[in-house]
Amino acid sequence: MTGLFEDFSMTIGGKGVTSPATIDVLNPATEEVVASVPDCTQDQLNEAVAAARKAFPGWRDTPIDERRKVLFKMAEVIAANADDFARLFTLEQGRPLAGARMEIDFGAYWAAEVAKQEIPVTVTEDSDQKLSETHHVPLGVVAGIVPWNFPFNLALWKIAPALLTGNTLVLKPSPFTPLTMLKFAELMRDHMPAGVLNVVSGGDSLGPWLTAHPEVDKISFTGSTATGKKVMESAASDLKRITLELGGNDAAIVMPDVDVDAIADQLFFAAFGNSGQICIATKRMYVHEDIYDKVAEALTVRAQHAVVGDGLEQASNFGPIQNRPQFERVKNLIEDAKEKGLNFIAGGDLKDDKGYFIPISIVDNPPEESRVVQEEAFGPVLPLLKFKDLDEVIARVNASEYGLAGSIWTKDVEKAKEVAKRLDTGTVWINHSMYIMPWTPFAGRKQSGMGVENGQEGLLEFTAPLTITVAKEPQPA
Ligand code: NAD
């Protein structure tokens, strides 16, 4: 066993495995190398899938209460190492330490809460002639693929339900943020049978190898819509089961009856938490024209006071963009907005320093068709938009290829619930945002995804229904 900050190895068949080649993981605040990790070869990936396949029958037949214990152990191991995990997280992901610690703590909480979930058995007939029960059995080997924005928690969203339901797993973190997951798997090696949880790290070939692998039964994928489509194509060859949690362009609708001062902090956080790198962040904010100026002023003041900096520095409230390609994408979106003559009421000017820093930026009422409104920025750039009429704003919100989540801010909760039913998204929050718990089903509509994660619906996505029907003895006359 080594410390949390050095000697990164993959976990394959319960053992630590290194590779002939490595990839460097950079600190996005300094662009310096934090550590090198194995670049998994195709043979090693095959070994990981074979280890998961070998472990499957034993794990499937392990009583669920024993499987629960492994999840509780995960929570214990995370909690016992939370300070180091949080620091490692900041080094690779960039988020300031307090936010990093929240993600680590939430990972422990998630494992422990999923451990308490039940797999239902439904009796669909209990007549004189027949007893019919539907059980939910594990699928086999699951491939879990996760992005870099919440690399720890989103991995736990896959590990905990996959293992609880009796599947074995090969998890692939993003090449930009593999460190915390590699160390988590290392710390868990002695606490579960070999092959139940395998974690592999590598470059761009690794994801396609994994999704095309004939011994993988299900893919649980979180990432961009563009990659999600490739995953779906790859899964089609042998009809692998898939759950896709993809991109979004979530809208907030702010009605004229709100108390702007009371909700301004929440609106600001909804858009700029994790520097906007949240799939369910508010990426378009529609504000009624009567209160537009007041909301614009409240957000601008907060943007001016925000400290964007290295996550290890105490003063920083917002970290950098996590990686160079994403930094270039967000920069390009800002440049496009400027070229089109759009007005920034906050931010918009980039410094030429080290690190992938982008200031908190707000664009003042840009045209609906502008790129900054239509595209998922996935960075701290918010278009603030005016609306007059409710039907008009609902149409604008729904005119998106995405349908992940959204929020409505108003004192009239009943009316907001009616509006929620007219939004083409999987989740709507009223007077708050970004609330997802182990028991809340989370599902993207349109090009935001397919299937469900979390809640009982999400748990059952790691299973297949098995209906067992028993013919009863003929009843005596
Ligand atoms: P990405 O699609 O580039 O990468 C996601 C993961 O897929 C990474 O591990 C990557 O290595 C892997 N990958 C890349 N190409 C692959 C391929 N051809 N086959 C298989 N795997 C492949 O996404 P990203 O840039 O890491 O993450 C940002 C995106 O993720 C945003 O669009 C965001 O909205 C989305 N996201 C969605 C949710 C959700 O729950 N809906 C949550 C977080 C992030």
Side-chain angles (χ1 to χ4, degrees):
M1 178 74 59
T2 57
L4 242 57
F5 298 92
E6 58 196 354
D7 294 337
F8 291 87
S9 59
M10 302 186 286
T11 297
I12 297 178
K15 295 198 168 58
V17 175
T18 54
S19 263
T22 57
I23 52 174
D24 288 341
V25 178
L26 302 187
N27 176 344
T30 61
E31 301 178 55
E32 284 163 9
V33 176
V34 180
S36 298
V37 299
D39 186 2
C40 188
T41 65
Q42 191 160 13
D43 284 346
Q44 289 176 321
L45 191 261
N46 291 340
E47 281 165 28
V49 176
R53 173 62 60 203
K54 189 167 166 220
F56 173 60
W59 186 245
R60 174 195 61 202
D61 298 339
T62 299
I64 188 166
D65 284 343
E66 294 301 311
R67 301 201 299 255
R68 290 186 207 283
K69 281 186 196 159
V70 170
L71 267 54
F72 284 124
K73 189 75 198 175
M74 287 180 183
E76 212 180 293
V77 163
I78 297 168
N81 295 279
D83 285 342
D84 283 352
F85 268 132
R87 196 174 170 81
L88 185 62
F89 185 104
T90 296
L91 284 169
E92 70 169 339
Q93 207 281 340
R95 193 184 312 156
L97 268 176
R101 180 59 193 256
M102 259 163 71
E103 176 154 349
I104 300 302
D105 290 347
F106 214 43
Y109 177 74
W110 209 273
E113 283 302 315
V114 173
K116 297 176 201 161
Q117 293 183 346
E118 297 293 342
I119 306 169
V121 177
T122 318
V123 176
T124 51
E125 181 177 341
D126 189 2
S127 63
D128 289 346
Q129 290 81 31
K130 302 280 189 290
L131 174 64
S132 222
E133 294 172 342
T134 300
H135 297 249
H136 297 275
V137 295
L139 293 163
V141 176
V142 174
I145 300 180
V146 289
W148 44 259
N149 63 331
F150 281 81
F152 197 76
N153 213 13
L154 292 178
L156 263 303
W157 285 22
K158 306 201 184 302
I159 296 170
L163 267 49
L164 182 74
T165 46
N167 301 278
T168 55
L169 188 76
V170 178
L171 183 90
K172 192 201 88 60
S174 164
F176 295 114
T177 52
L179 301 182
T180 48
M181 259 307 122
L182 288 173
K183 278 294 166 188
F184 169 72
E186 180 185 324
L187 294 178
M188 285 304 298
R189 275 177 209 153
D190 294 340
H191 301 296
M192 61 171 87
V196 168
L197 172 64
N198 306 275
V199 177
V200 291
S201 53
D204 292 345
S205 305
L206 191 53
W209 289 339
L210 187 54
T211 58
H213 201 295
E215 285 290 320
V216 167
D217 299 290
K218 179 192 166 84
I219 304 163
S220 179
F221 173 83
T222 303
S224 64
T225 295
T227 310
K229 290 177 185 175
K230 291 184 193 155
V231 170
M232 194 167 175
E233 253 177 58
S234 173
S237 62
D238 50 3
L239 288 184
K240 289 183 180 74
R241 273 44 189 160
I242 49 172
T243 302
L244 303 176
E245 293 291 354
L246 309 178
N249 196 4
D250 290 6
I253 300 175
V254 188
M255 300 296 284
D257 63 350
V258 296
D259 176 346
V260 174
D261 294 330
I263 65 167
D265 281 342
Q266 289 188 75
L267 290 180
F268 189 72
F269 177 74
F272 298 113
N274 200 26
S275 301
Q277 303 166 107
I278 310 184
C279 57
I280 48 171
T282 296
K283 291 169 186 148
R284 303 175 278 163
M285 193 175 289
Y286 292 93
V287 181
H288 192 273
E289 60 180 9
D290 290 355
I291 53 162
Y292 181 89
D293 290 345
K294 192 156 188 209
V295 171
E297 167 73 18
L299 297 183
T300 305
V301 167
R302 282 160 179 79
Q304 282 158 354
H305 286 100
V307 180
V308 180
D310 186 329
L312 288 181
E313 282 165 20
Q314 193 117 40
S316 308
N317 333 110
F318 297 92
I321 296 295
Q322 198 283 322
N323 57 72
R324 163 74 59 185
Q326 182 60 22
F327 175 67
E328 295 297 339
R329 265 199 292 275
V330 180
K331 222 167 87 173
N332 178 269
L333 212 54
I334 290 177
E335 280 159 6
D336 176 77
K338 288 186 147 180
E339 273 166 27
K340 303 269 164 33
L342 303 184
N343 179 32
F344 282 77
I345 49 177
D349 292 320
L350 271 66
K351 292 193 192 116
D352 207 10
D353 289 345
K354 273 252 170 252
Y356 310 137
F357 294 104
I358 299 221
I360 302 288
S361 303
I362 303 174
V363 189
D364 180 20
N365 202 26
E368 193 70 17
E369 63 280 6
S370 51
R371 282 184 57 203
V372 75
V373 180
Q374 293 300 321
E375 294 181 20
E376 179 189 39
F378 221 61
V381 185
L382 177 72
L384 197 62
L385 299 138
K386 249 183 228 182
F387 78 91
K388 196 178 190 144
D389 170 77
L390 192 55
D391 288 339
E392 164 227 321
V393 76
I394 292 172
R396 287 164 75 187
V397 168
N398 283 340
S400 167
E401 65 195 26
Y402 296 112
L404 195 56
S407 59
I408 304 166
W409 302 77
T410 176
K411 292 198 172 114
D412 190 343
V413 171
E414 286 314 309
K415 188 168 168 193
K417 283 194 201 164
E418 290 308 313
V419 173
K421 289 181 203 155
R422 295 172 62 193
L423 299 180
D424 302 338
T425 65
T427 303
V428 177
W429 295 286
I430 298 173
N431 295 328
H432 69 151
S433 74
M434 298 199 286
Y435 181 80
I436 299 184
M437 284 293 162
W439 49 86
T440 28
F442 177 58
R445 285 168 65 182
K446 300 195 273 187
Q447 295 193 35
S448 285
M450 181 158 290
V452 188
E453 207 158 30
N454 308 325
Q456 190 167 77
E457 287 90 339
L459 189 72
L460 294 185
E461 293 233 343
F462 290 95
T463 68
L466 169 67
T467 299
I468 301 175
T469 303
V470 182
K472 292 186 178 173
E473 291 289 319
Q475 302 293 309

